[in-house]
Amino acid sequence: MNDLLYVNGGNPLRGTITVRGAKNFVSKAMVASLLGETPSVLRNVPRIRDVAVVSGLLDLHGVNVKYDTDAGILDLDPSNVESAHVADIDAHAGSSRIPILFCGPLLHRLGEAFIPDLGGCRIGDRPINYHLDILRQFGAVVDKLPNGIQLRAPRRLQGTKIALPYPSVGATEQLLLTAVRAEGITELDGAAIEPEIMDLIAVLQKMGAIISVDTDRVIRIEGVDRLEGYSHTALSDRIETASWASAALATGGDITVKGATQPEMMTFLNTFRKVGGRFDVQDDGIRFWHAGGDLHSIVLETDVHPGFMTDWQQPLVVALTQAKGLSIVHETVYENRFGFADALRKMGATIQVYKECLGGRDCRFGQRNFHHSAVISGPTPLHAADIEVPDLRGGFSHLIAALAAQGRSTVRGIGLIDRGYENFQDKLVALGADVARG
Ligand code: EPU
């Protein structure tokens, strides 16, 4: 596969594209199908590599997966779930972080699970200590092997009471996918409540689970003996929508994102408006545009939901290089999410990264040597460069920078973007971008 994109930048992106289901929900709903005794149907599924990776892993475990890519419909039949060979699972090592969520469902179905070494973006250490602590508390026996983790459930997993030290998305999902079929009641204090998690809870409820979400991040689950398949339409991908909105702003363009929905985007829309972007919420999508004149600098802090998402940060920072004055961005979810700024500097942006917690409250990364705050001074014209994609969201940000920059940029490692952005090259062309694979 050719992994290089030439981008002739400097032109506003204008037009209409469609965004389908959220990457960070679809993959989890696919894992949930393992818990059902009958087939599940998932709609609004985008054709991205993470879906292919999870389909491959489900297939190895005996789930019959059929994917109609055009219609975006996945049929998942778990009637014959079986243990997969370690060597086959190992072939998926390093491809994604989703395999860790197979633990609970496989322990319920088979009493054992092998999880390969995980992949995912290199945006920090990304440990799995919360996940393993949760599984142990349910009664699973966890053995770390040189190439992954071996788990056993000597008897039915038991409901438990857990407090998370930080509202981790993955750990909350781990708990949900394990507790729904454990014996008795499970209570989670300090849960993540991202919209993708609420949609996963909706799926599990359709399957027969009993889950209540109380105030103050408390989730309570009454375990049941049996779950059925589900039929569900995935919520829209709010990260992809924000990425295109940021591209409209950075290039001085006008992009309508069909399929985008307002409730999950509210925090982003507030910030977009403060920077000077315009938007119009329509029945079937949201239009984002740059109304001319100066963009405004802002002080921004990323946070767990309902705060400003960490995944929105990187694309928006590219637009902030075009805002007048000093913007301050404090990243509090991942300790290492400003690596992409090196390429922006190479293209003419003025961005300094700092170890201190700037522009907000102190976070858990302060005084710990992590460069997790950035100061962006603008506006600075961007010029073309030869750049390498560092991670999924950082990569899309590089792409936005190349589209905003005058001249012909070479963006390498573009395949990484296929993990989470469906047909992004076709969408760029539809928006009038001058791009070609090398
Ligand atoms: N953490 C721990 N221990 C753990 C788990 C997490 O210390 O066992 C820490 C992480 O190191 C991080 C923080 O907790 O500093 C938050 O991590 P979280 O578990 O919430 O993230 P995740 O579940 O690994 C998902 C998304 C990310 C998204 C985050 C935050 C998926 C597959 N990934 O990751 O999406 O940034 O939640 O919303 O759902 C992306 O799409 O590009 C992406 C990175």
Side-chain angles (χ1 to χ4, degrees), residues 23-24 28 97-98 123 126-131 166-170 239 309-311 333-335 337 364-365 392-393:
K23 157 183 158 301
N24 291 346
K28 327 293 172 63
R97 290 185 66 73
I98 309 298
I123 49 182
R126 307 197 79 182
I128 52 167
N129 52 327
Y130 302 163
H131 294 255
Y166 183 81
S168 151
V169 168
I239 307 177
M309 268 197 109
T310 168
D311 303 280
V333 180
Y334 290 112
E335 66 272 30
R337 218 166 191 183
R364 62 211 162 104
F365 305 137
L392 177 61
R393 308 299 167 193

PDB file of all heavy atoms in Angstrom, residues 23-24 28 97-98 123 126-131 166-170 239 309-311 333-335 337 364-365 392-393, ligand 1:
ATOM      1  N   LYS A  23     -16.014   5.585  15.788  1.00  0.00           N
ATOM      2  CA  LYS A  23     -14.994   4.530  15.929  1.00  0.00           C
ATOM      3  C   LYS A  23     -14.943   4.013  17.364  1.00  0.00           C
ATOM      4  O   LYS A  23     -14.866   2.802  17.587  1.00  0.00           O
ATOM      5  CB  LYS A  23     -13.636   5.108  15.517  1.00  0.00           C
ATOM      6  CG  LYS A  23     -12.428   4.401  16.082  1.00  0.00           C
ATOM      7  CD  LYS A  23     -11.167   5.123  15.665  1.00  0.00           C
ATOM      8  CE  LYS A  23      -9.944   4.896  16.499  1.00  0.00           C
ATOM      9  NZ  LYS A  23      -9.956   5.209  17.900  1.00  0.00           N
ATOM     10  N   ASN A  24     -14.977   4.945  18.327  1.00  0.00           N
ATOM     11  CA  ASN A  24     -14.774   4.535  19.717  1.00  0.00           C
ATOM     12  C   ASN A  24     -16.033   3.983  20.380  1.00  0.00           C
ATOM     13  O   ASN A  24     -16.029   3.683  21.575  1.00  0.00           O
ATOM     14  CB  ASN A  24     -14.179   5.687  20.528  1.00  0.00           C
ATOM     15  CG  ASN A  24     -12.749   5.966  20.082  1.00  0.00           C
ATOM     16  OD1 ASN A  24     -12.139   5.150  19.381  1.00  0.00           O
ATOM     17  ND2 ASN A  24     -12.218   7.113  20.476  1.00  0.00           N
ATOM     18  N   LYS A  28     -16.536  -1.223  20.378  1.00  0.00           N
ATOM     19  CA  LYS A  28     -16.962  -1.780  21.683  1.00  0.00           C
ATOM     20  C   LYS A  28     -18.287  -2.540  21.531  1.00  0.00           C
ATOM     21  O   LYS A  28     -18.516  -3.566  22.157  1.00  0.00           O
ATOM     22  CB  LYS A  28     -17.130  -0.694  22.731  1.00  0.00           C
ATOM     23  CG  LYS A  28     -16.187   0.500  22.633  1.00  0.00           C
ATOM     24  CD  LYS A  28     -14.766   0.165  22.919  1.00  0.00           C
ATOM     25  CE  LYS A  28     -13.800   1.307  22.637  1.00  0.00           C
ATOM     26  NZ  LYS A  28     -13.930   2.497  23.404  1.00  0.00           N
ATOM     27  N   ARG A  97      -6.144  -1.175  20.644  1.00  0.00           N
ATOM     28  CA  ARG A  97      -6.295  -1.364  22.093  1.00  0.00           C
ATOM     29  C   ARG A  97      -7.567  -2.151  22.432  1.00  0.00           C
ATOM     30  O   ARG A  97      -7.803  -2.501  23.568  1.00  0.00           O
ATOM     31  CB  ARG A  97      -6.347  -0.002  22.802  1.00  0.00           C
ATOM     32  CG  ARG A  97      -5.014   0.717  22.784  1.00  0.00           C
ATOM     33  CD  ARG A  97      -5.060   1.984  23.577  1.00  0.00           C
ATOM     34  NE  ARG A  97      -5.246   1.783  24.997  1.00  0.00           N
ATOM     35  CZ  ARG A  97      -4.323   1.320  25.819  1.00  0.00           C
ATOM     36  NH1 ARG A  97      -3.147   0.984  25.366  1.00  0.00           N
ATOM     37  NH2 ARG A  97      -4.579   1.186  27.104  1.00  0.00           N
ATOM     38  N   ILE A  98      -8.398  -2.424  21.444  1.00  0.00           N
ATOM     39  CA  ILE A  98      -9.689  -3.063  21.714  1.00  0.00           C
ATOM     40  C   ILE A  98      -9.557  -4.484  22.293  1.00  0.00           C
ATOM     41  O   ILE A  98     -10.391  -4.880  23.099  1.00  0.00           O
ATOM     42  CB  ILE A  98     -10.567  -3.100  20.441  1.00  0.00           C
ATOM     43  CG1 ILE A  98     -10.636  -1.715  19.808  1.00  0.00           C
ATOM     44  CG2 ILE A  98     -11.975  -3.592  20.753  1.00  0.00           C
ATOM     45  CD1 ILE A  98     -11.258  -0.646  20.666  1.00  0.00           C
ATOM     46  N   ILE A 123       0.516   8.075  22.483  1.00  0.00           N
ATOM     47  CA  ILE A 123       0.252   9.432  22.966  1.00  0.00           C
ATOM     48  C   ILE A 123       0.471   9.503  24.462  1.00  0.00           C
ATOM     49  O   ILE A 123       0.009  10.408  25.124  1.00  0.00           O
ATOM     50  CB  ILE A 123      -1.192   9.866  22.599  1.00  0.00           C
ATOM     51  CG1 ILE A 123      -2.189   8.777  22.997  1.00  0.00           C
ATOM     52  CG2 ILE A 123      -1.300  10.190  21.129  1.00  0.00           C
ATOM     53  CD1 ILE A 123      -3.634   9.080  22.638  1.00  0.00           C
ATOM     54  N   ARG A 126      -0.144   4.782  28.311  1.00  0.00           N
ATOM     55  CA  ARG A 126      -1.365   4.009  28.107  1.00  0.00           C
ATOM     56  C   ARG A 126      -1.321   2.650  28.828  1.00  0.00           C
ATOM     57  O   ARG A 126      -1.424   1.584  28.206  1.00  0.00           O
ATOM     58  CB  ARG A 126      -1.664   3.855  26.617  1.00  0.00           C
ATOM     59  CG  ARG A 126      -1.693   5.206  25.913  1.00  0.00           C
ATOM     60  CD  ARG A 126      -2.351   5.160  24.581  1.00  0.00           C
ATOM     61  NE  ARG A 126      -3.794   5.156  24.679  1.00  0.00           N
ATOM     62  CZ  ARG A 126      -4.600   5.082  23.626  1.00  0.00           C
ATOM     63  NH1 ARG A 126      -4.101   5.008  22.427  1.00  0.00           N
ATOM     64  NH2 ARG A 126      -5.895   5.080  23.777  1.00  0.00           N
ATOM     65  N   PRO A 127      -1.193   2.674  30.157  1.00  0.00           N
ATOM     66  CA  PRO A 127      -1.155   1.411  30.912  1.00  0.00           C
ATOM     67  C   PRO A 127      -2.521   0.734  30.948  1.00  0.00           C
ATOM     68  O   PRO A 127      -3.527   1.342  30.563  1.00  0.00           O
ATOM     69  CB  PRO A 127      -0.754   1.867  32.319  1.00  0.00           C
ATOM     70  CG  PRO A 127      -1.161   3.291  32.405  1.00  0.00           C
ATOM     71  CD  PRO A 127      -1.115   3.853  31.005  1.00  0.00           C
ATOM     72  N   ILE A 128      -2.567  -0.532  31.429  1.00  0.00           N
ATOM     73  CA  ILE A 128      -3.850  -1.238  31.544  1.00  0.00           C
ATOM     74  C   ILE A 128      -4.072  -1.691  32.989  1.00  0.00           C
ATOM     75  O   ILE A 128      -4.818  -2.638  33.232  1.00  0.00           O
ATOM     76  CB  ILE A 128      -3.940  -2.444  30.577  1.00  0.00           C
ATOM     77  CG1 ILE A 128      -2.711  -3.355  30.732  1.00  0.00           C
ATOM     78  CG2 ILE A 128      -4.110  -1.986  29.151  1.00  0.00           C
ATOM     79  CD1 ILE A 128      -2.882  -4.692  30.041  1.00  0.00           C
ATOM     80  N   ASN A 129      -3.416  -1.011  33.924  1.00  0.00           N
ATOM     81  CA  ASN A 129      -3.533  -1.424  35.331  1.00  0.00           C
ATOM     82  C   ASN A 129      -4.975  -1.385  35.837  1.00  0.00           C
ATOM     83  O   ASN A 129      -5.412  -2.283  36.560  1.00  0.00           O
ATOM     84  CB  ASN A 129      -2.619  -0.568  36.222  1.00  0.00           C
ATOM     85  CG  ASN A 129      -2.814   0.925  36.022  1.00  0.00           C
ATOM     86  OD1 ASN A 129      -3.105   1.384  34.925  1.00  0.00           O
ATOM     87  ND2 ASN A 129      -2.656   1.701  37.078  1.00  0.00           N
ATOM     88  N   TYR A 130      -5.759  -0.359  35.427  1.00  0.00           N
ATOM     89  CA  TYR A 130      -7.161  -0.300  35.887  1.00  0.00           C
ATOM     90  C   TYR A 130      -7.928  -1.530  35.391  1.00  0.00           C
ATOM     91  O   TYR A 130      -8.732  -2.110  36.108  1.00  0.00           O
ATOM     92  CB  TYR A 130      -7.886   0.944  35.359  1.00  0.00           C
ATOM     93  CG  TYR A 130      -7.299   2.293  35.702  1.00  0.00           C
ATOM     94  CD1 TYR A 130      -7.690   3.428  34.986  1.00  0.00           C
ATOM     95  CD2 TYR A 130      -6.389   2.456  36.742  1.00  0.00           C
ATOM     96  CE1 TYR A 130      -7.172   4.684  35.281  1.00  0.00           C
ATOM     97  CE2 TYR A 130      -5.870   3.707  37.036  1.00  0.00           C
ATOM     98  CZ  TYR A 130      -6.250   4.813  36.296  1.00  0.00           C
ATOM     99  OH  TYR A 130      -5.738   6.049  36.576  1.00  0.00           O
ATOM    100  N   HIS A 131      -7.676  -1.883  34.132  1.00  0.00           N
ATOM    101  CA  HIS A 131      -8.392  -3.024  33.528  1.00  0.00           C
ATOM    102  C   HIS A 131      -8.108  -4.307  34.319  1.00  0.00           C
ATOM    103  O   HIS A 131      -9.015  -5.069  34.651  1.00  0.00           O
ATOM    104  CB  HIS A 131      -7.940  -3.235  32.082  1.00  0.00           C
ATOM    105  CG  HIS A 131      -8.308  -2.113  31.156  1.00  0.00           C
ATOM    106  ND1 HIS A 131      -9.320  -2.213  30.247  1.00  0.00           N
ATOM    107  CD2 HIS A 131      -7.802  -0.863  31.014  1.00  0.00           C
ATOM    108  CE1 HIS A 131      -9.417  -1.081  29.561  1.00  0.00           C
ATOM    109  NE2 HIS A 131      -8.504  -0.251  30.010  1.00  0.00           N
ATOM    110  N   TYR A 166      -9.325   7.439  38.201  1.00  0.00           N
ATOM    111  CA  TYR A 166      -9.505   8.436  37.128  1.00  0.00           C
ATOM    112  C   TYR A 166     -10.601   7.881  36.223  1.00  0.00           C
ATOM    113  O   TYR A 166     -10.642   6.676  35.968  1.00  0.00           O
ATOM    114  CB  TYR A 166      -8.183   8.601  36.345  1.00  0.00           C
ATOM    115  CG  TYR A 166      -8.243   9.651  35.274  1.00  0.00           C
ATOM    116  CD1 TYR A 166      -8.086  10.992  35.588  1.00  0.00           C
ATOM    117  CD2 TYR A 166      -8.476   9.307  33.946  1.00  0.00           C
ATOM    118  CE1 TYR A 166      -8.160  11.965  34.605  1.00  0.00           C
ATOM    119  CE2 TYR A 166      -8.549  10.274  32.961  1.00  0.00           C
ATOM    120  CZ  TYR A 166      -8.388  11.608  33.300  1.00  0.00           C
ATOM    121  OH  TYR A 166      -8.459  12.574  32.327  1.00  0.00           O
ATOM    122  N   PRO A 167     -11.517   8.746  35.733  1.00  0.00           N
ATOM    123  CA  PRO A 167     -12.641   8.222  34.941  1.00  0.00           C
ATOM    124  C   PRO A 167     -12.214   7.730  33.547  1.00  0.00           C
ATOM    125  O   PRO A 167     -12.486   8.368  32.537  1.00  0.00           O
ATOM    126  CB  PRO A 167     -13.613   9.399  34.851  1.00  0.00           C
ATOM    127  CG  PRO A 167     -12.915  10.583  35.392  1.00  0.00           C
ATOM    128  CD  PRO A 167     -11.602  10.190  35.967  1.00  0.00           C
ATOM    129  N   SER A 168     -11.532   6.613  33.517  1.00  0.00           N
ATOM    130  CA  SER A 168     -11.016   6.042  32.268  1.00  0.00           C
ATOM    131  C   SER A 168     -12.149   5.469  31.418  1.00  0.00           C
ATOM    132  O   SER A 168     -12.990   4.711  31.919  1.00  0.00           O
ATOM    133  CB  SER A 168      -9.995   4.946  32.613  1.00  0.00           C
ATOM    134  OG  SER A 168      -9.948   3.961  31.613  1.00  0.00           O
ATOM    135  N   VAL A 169     -12.124   5.810  30.140  1.00  0.00           N
ATOM    136  CA  VAL A 169     -13.137   5.312  29.201  1.00  0.00           C
ATOM    137  C   VAL A 169     -13.035   3.783  29.088  1.00  0.00           C
ATOM    138  O   VAL A 169     -13.999   3.050  29.280  1.00  0.00           O
ATOM    139  CB  VAL A 169     -12.940   5.974  27.811  1.00  0.00           C
ATOM    140  CG1 VAL A 169     -13.772   5.293  26.740  1.00  0.00           C
ATOM    141  CG2 VAL A 169     -13.269   7.462  27.896  1.00  0.00           C
ATOM    142  N   GLY A 170     -11.831   3.307  28.781  1.00  0.00           N
ATOM    143  CA  GLY A 170     -11.648   1.869  28.566  1.00  0.00           C
ATOM    144  C   GLY A 170     -11.958   1.060  29.820  1.00  0.00           C
ATOM    145  O   GLY A 170     -12.589   0.000  29.743  1.00  0.00           O
ATOM    146  N   ILE A 239     -15.580  12.878  16.977  1.00  0.00           N
ATOM    147  CA  ILE A 239     -14.172  13.270  16.778  1.00  0.00           C
ATOM    148  C   ILE A 239     -13.940  13.595  15.306  1.00  0.00           C
ATOM    149  O   ILE A 239     -13.310  14.584  14.953  1.00  0.00           O
ATOM    150  CB  ILE A 239     -13.198  12.158  17.230  1.00  0.00           C
ATOM    151  CG1 ILE A 239     -13.508  11.717  18.656  1.00  0.00           C
ATOM    152  CG2 ILE A 239     -11.763  12.650  17.105  1.00  0.00           C
ATOM    153  CD1 ILE A 239     -12.640  10.576  19.167  1.00  0.00           C
ATOM    154  N   MET A 309     -12.963  17.368  24.728  1.00  0.00           N
ATOM    155  CA  MET A 309     -12.277  16.087  24.470  1.00  0.00           C
ATOM    156  C   MET A 309     -10.820  16.237  24.075  1.00  0.00           C
ATOM    157  O   MET A 309     -10.503  17.090  23.240  1.00  0.00           O
ATOM    158  CB  MET A 309     -12.907  15.428  23.251  1.00  0.00           C
ATOM    159  CG  MET A 309     -13.983  14.520  23.459  1.00  0.00           C
ATOM    160  SD  MET A 309     -14.173  13.537  21.945  1.00  0.00           S
ATOM    161  CE  MET A 309     -13.581  11.984  22.549  1.00  0.00           C
ATOM    162  N   THR A 310      -9.994  15.362  24.574  1.00  0.00           N
ATOM    163  CA  THR A 310      -8.583  15.355  24.165  1.00  0.00           C
ATOM    164  C   THR A 310      -8.431  15.133  22.655  1.00  0.00           C
ATOM    165  O   THR A 310      -7.544  15.692  22.024  1.00  0.00           O
ATOM    166  CB  THR A 310      -7.798  14.284  24.952  1.00  0.00           C
ATOM    167  OG1 THR A 310      -6.521  14.117  24.353  1.00  0.00           O
ATOM    168  CG2 THR A 310      -8.495  12.939  24.986  1.00  0.00           C
ATOM    169  N   ASP A 311      -9.323  14.340  22.067  1.00  0.00           N
ATOM    170  CA  ASP A 311      -9.192  14.027  20.630  1.00  0.00           C
ATOM    171  C   ASP A 311      -9.582  15.205  19.724  1.00  0.00           C
ATOM    172  O   ASP A 311      -9.321  15.181  18.531  1.00  0.00           O
ATOM    173  CB  ASP A 311     -10.054  12.809  20.275  1.00  0.00           C
ATOM    174  CG  ASP A 311      -9.676  11.611  21.107  1.00  0.00           C
ATOM    175  OD1 ASP A 311      -8.691  10.955  20.780  1.00  0.00           O
ATOM    176  OD2 ASP A 311     -10.341  11.368  22.127  1.00  0.00           O
ATOM    177  N   VAL A 333      -5.642  14.841  29.768  1.00  0.00           N
ATOM    178  CA  VAL A 333      -6.043  13.424  29.664  1.00  0.00           C
ATOM    179  C   VAL A 333      -4.844  12.530  29.344  1.00  0.00           C
ATOM    180  O   VAL A 333      -4.657  11.479  29.962  1.00  0.00           O
ATOM    181  CB  VAL A 333      -7.166  13.243  28.624  1.00  0.00           C
ATOM    182  CG1 VAL A 333      -7.576  11.780  28.507  1.00  0.00           C
ATOM    183  CG2 VAL A 333      -8.378  14.105  28.988  1.00  0.00           C
ATOM    184  N   TYR A 334      -4.032  12.935  28.363  1.00  0.00           N
ATOM    185  CA  TYR A 334      -2.816  12.181  28.023  1.00  0.00           C
ATOM    186  C   TYR A 334      -1.596  13.046  28.300  1.00  0.00           C
ATOM    187  O   TYR A 334      -1.597  14.243  28.007  1.00  0.00           O
ATOM    188  CB  TYR A 334      -2.817  11.769  26.558  1.00  0.00           C
ATOM    189  CG  TYR A 334      -3.842  10.704  26.250  1.00  0.00           C
ATOM    190  CD1 TYR A 334      -4.946  10.976  25.461  1.00  0.00           C
ATOM    191  CD2 TYR A 334      -3.705   9.416  26.769  1.00  0.00           C
ATOM    192  CE1 TYR A 334      -5.884  10.002  25.195  1.00  0.00           C
ATOM    193  CE2 TYR A 334      -4.646   8.437  26.508  1.00  0.00           C
ATOM    194  CZ  TYR A 334      -5.730   8.740  25.725  1.00  0.00           C
ATOM    195  OH  TYR A 334      -6.655   7.778  25.465  1.00  0.00           O
ATOM    196  N   GLU A 335      -0.530  12.395  28.777  1.00  0.00           N
ATOM    197  CA  GLU A 335       0.656  13.160  29.174  1.00  0.00           C
ATOM    198  C   GLU A 335       1.508  13.577  27.973  1.00  0.00           C
ATOM    199  O   GLU A 335       2.386  14.419  28.085  1.00  0.00           O
ATOM    200  CB  GLU A 335       1.492  12.352  30.171  1.00  0.00           C
ATOM    201  CG  GLU A 335       2.144  11.072  29.664  1.00  0.00           C
ATOM    202  CD  GLU A 335       1.245   9.848  29.790  1.00  0.00           C
ATOM    203  OE1 GLU A 335       0.008  10.014  29.719  1.00  0.00           O
ATOM    204  OE2 GLU A 335       1.782   8.737  29.933  1.00  0.00           O
ATOM    205  N   ARG A 337       0.615  14.431  24.352  1.00  0.00           N
ATOM    206  CA  ARG A 337      -0.183  14.595  23.145  1.00  0.00           C
ATOM    207  C   ARG A 337       0.177  15.846  22.337  1.00  0.00           C
ATOM    208  O   ARG A 337      -0.624  16.315  21.530  1.00  0.00           O
ATOM    209  CB  ARG A 337      -1.676  14.578  23.470  1.00  0.00           C
ATOM    210  CG  ARG A 337      -2.428  13.845  22.376  1.00  0.00           C
ATOM    211  CD  ARG A 337      -3.814  13.465  22.663  1.00  0.00           C
ATOM    212  NE  ARG A 337      -4.262  12.554  21.597  1.00  0.00           N
ATOM    213  CZ  ARG A 337      -5.464  12.052  21.482  1.00  0.00           C
ATOM    214  NH1 ARG A 337      -6.374  12.347  22.366  1.00  0.00           N
ATOM    215  NH2 ARG A 337      -5.765  11.237  20.497  1.00  0.00           N
ATOM    216  N   ARG A 364      -2.904  15.945  36.963  1.00  0.00           N
ATOM    217  CA  ARG A 364      -2.026  14.898  37.503  1.00  0.00           C
ATOM    218  C   ARG A 364      -0.680  14.825  36.793  1.00  0.00           C
ATOM    219  O   ARG A 364       0.201  14.087  37.194  1.00  0.00           O
ATOM    220  CB  ARG A 364      -2.769  13.552  37.499  1.00  0.00           C
ATOM    221  CG  ARG A 364      -3.174  13.071  36.171  1.00  0.00           C
ATOM    222  CD  ARG A 364      -4.449  12.237  36.173  1.00  0.00           C
ATOM    223  NE  ARG A 364      -4.913  12.238  34.809  1.00  0.00           N
ATOM    224  CZ  ARG A 364      -4.790  11.238  33.973  1.00  0.00           C
ATOM    225  NH1 ARG A 364      -4.305  10.091  34.414  1.00  0.00           N
ATOM    226  NH2 ARG A 364      -5.173  11.348  32.735  1.00  0.00           N
ATOM    227  N   PHE A 365      -0.472  15.618  35.703  1.00  0.00           N
ATOM    228  CA  PHE A 365       0.815  15.585  35.000  1.00  0.00           C
ATOM    229  C   PHE A 365       1.748  16.732  35.419  1.00  0.00           C
ATOM    230  O   PHE A 365       2.893  16.776  34.992  1.00  0.00           O
ATOM    231  CB  PHE A 365       0.604  15.667  33.486  1.00  0.00           C
ATOM    232  CG  PHE A 365      -0.327  14.619  32.947  1.00  0.00           C
ATOM    233  CD1 PHE A 365      -1.288  14.940  32.004  1.00  0.00           C
ATOM    234  CD2 PHE A 365      -0.248  13.301  33.398  1.00  0.00           C
ATOM    235  CE1 PHE A 365      -2.145  13.978  31.509  1.00  0.00           C
ATOM    236  CE2 PHE A 365      -1.110  12.330  32.913  1.00  0.00           C
ATOM    237  CZ  PHE A 365      -2.067  12.674  31.969  1.00  0.00           C
ATOM    238  N   LEU A 392      -2.965   8.826  15.145  1.00  0.00           N
ATOM    239  CA  LEU A 392      -4.197   9.036  14.375  1.00  0.00           C
ATOM    240  C   LEU A 392      -4.649  10.499  14.337  1.00  0.00           C
ATOM    241  O   LEU A 392      -4.780  11.100  13.273  1.00  0.00           O
ATOM    242  CB  LEU A 392      -5.292   8.152  14.979  1.00  0.00           C
ATOM    243  CG  LEU A 392      -6.682   8.257  14.385  1.00  0.00           C
ATOM    244  CD1 LEU A 392      -6.672   7.868  12.918  1.00  0.00           C
ATOM    245  CD2 LEU A 392      -7.655   7.363  15.157  1.00  0.00           C
ATOM    246  N   ARG A 393      -4.882  11.076  15.508  1.00  0.00           N
ATOM    247  CA  ARG A 393      -5.402  12.467  15.529  1.00  0.00           C
ATOM    248  C   ARG A 393      -4.312  13.461  15.155  1.00  0.00           C
ATOM    249  O   ARG A 393      -4.565  14.456  14.464  1.00  0.00           O
ATOM    250  CB  ARG A 393      -5.981  12.801  16.904  1.00  0.00           C
ATOM    251  CG  ARG A 393      -6.990  11.796  17.421  1.00  0.00           C
ATOM    252  CD  ARG A 393      -8.207  11.656  16.537  1.00  0.00           C
ATOM    253  NE  ARG A 393      -8.993  10.483  16.912  1.00  0.00           N
ATOM    254  CZ  ARG A 393      -9.960   9.954  16.189  1.00  0.00           C
ATOM    255  NH1 ARG A 393     -10.285  10.462  15.021  1.00  0.00           N
ATOM    256  NH2 ARG A 393     -10.621   8.892  16.605  1.00  0.00           N
TER     257      ARG A 393
HETATM  258  N1  EPU B   1      -5.206   5.021  32.197  1.00  0.00           N
HETATM  259  C1  EPU B   1      -4.452   4.437  33.186  1.00  0.00           C
HETATM  260  N2  EPU B   1      -4.625   3.081  33.422  1.00  0.00           N
HETATM  261  C2  EPU B   1      -5.509   2.321  32.713  1.00  0.00           C
HETATM  262  C3  EPU B   1      -6.291   2.946  31.708  1.00  0.00           C
HETATM  263  C4  EPU B   1      -6.116   4.311  31.479  1.00  0.00           C
HETATM  264  O1  EPU B   1      -3.631   5.082  33.832  1.00  0.00           O
HETATM  265  O2  EPU B   1      -5.626   1.112  32.971  1.00  0.00           O
HETATM  266  C5  EPU B   1      -5.012   6.469  31.908  1.00  0.00           C
HETATM  267  C6  EPU B   1      -4.439   6.678  30.482  1.00  0.00           C
HETATM  268  O3  EPU B   1      -3.055   6.521  30.449  1.00  0.00           O
HETATM  269  C7  EPU B   1      -4.884   8.090  30.157  1.00  0.00           C
HETATM  270  C8  EPU B   1      -6.218   8.196  30.899  1.00  0.00           C
HETATM  271  O4  EPU B   1      -6.256   7.136  31.862  1.00  0.00           O
HETATM  272  O5  EPU B   1      -3.986   9.017  30.676  1.00  0.00           O
HETATM  273  C9  EPU B   1      -7.433   8.132  30.031  1.00  0.00           C
HETATM  274  O6  EPU B   1      -7.417   6.936  29.274  1.00  0.00           O
HETATM  275  P1  EPU B   1      -8.761   6.182  28.876  1.00  0.00           P
HETATM  276  O7  EPU B   1      -8.721   4.817  29.474  1.00  0.00           O
HETATM  277  O8  EPU B   1      -9.910   7.049  29.176  1.00  0.00           O
HETATM  278  O9  EPU B   1      -8.591   6.069  27.314  1.00  0.00           O
HETATM  279  P2  EPU B   1      -8.808   4.797  26.383  1.00  0.00           P
HETATM  280  O10 EPU B   1     -10.016   4.061  26.771  1.00  0.00           O
HETATM  281  O11 EPU B   1      -7.521   4.064  26.241  1.00  0.00           O
HETATM  282  C10 EPU B   1     -10.371   6.021  24.667  1.00  0.00           C
HETATM  283  C11 EPU B   1     -10.300   6.291  23.198  1.00  0.00           C
HETATM  284  C12 EPU B   1      -9.287   7.376  22.915  1.00  0.00           C
HETATM  285  C13 EPU B   1      -9.688   8.626  23.679  1.00  0.00           C
HETATM  286  C14 EPU B   1      -9.834   8.315  25.185  1.00  0.00           C
HETATM  287  C15 EPU B   1     -10.329   9.504  25.982  1.00  0.00           C
HETATM  288  C16 EPU B   1     -10.859   4.157  22.247  1.00  0.00           C
HETATM  289  C17 EPU B   1     -10.424   2.976  21.473  1.00  0.00           C
HETATM  290  N3  EPU B   1      -9.930   5.075  22.502  1.00  0.00           N
HETATM  291  O12 EPU B   1      -9.068   5.550  25.009  1.00  0.00           O
HETATM  292  O13 EPU B   1      -9.348   7.643  21.528  1.00  0.00           O
HETATM  293  O14 EPU B   1      -8.712   9.610  23.506  1.00  0.00           O
HETATM  294  O15 EPU B   1     -10.725   7.202  25.366  1.00  0.00           O
HETATM  295  O16 EPU B   1     -11.581   9.927  25.506  1.00  0.00           O
HETATM  296  O17 EPU B   1     -12.027   4.288  22.610  1.00  0.00           O
HETATM  297  C18 EPU B   1      -8.529   8.088  19.391  1.00  0.00           C
HETATM  298  O18 EPU B   1      -9.664   7.817  18.965  1.00  0.00           O
HETATM  299  O19 EPU B   1      -7.617   8.567  18.656  1.00  0.00           O
HETATM  300  C19 EPU B   1      -8.208   7.848  20.800  1.00  0.00           C
HETATM  301  C20 EPU B   1      -6.974   7.867  21.272  1.00  0.00           C
END
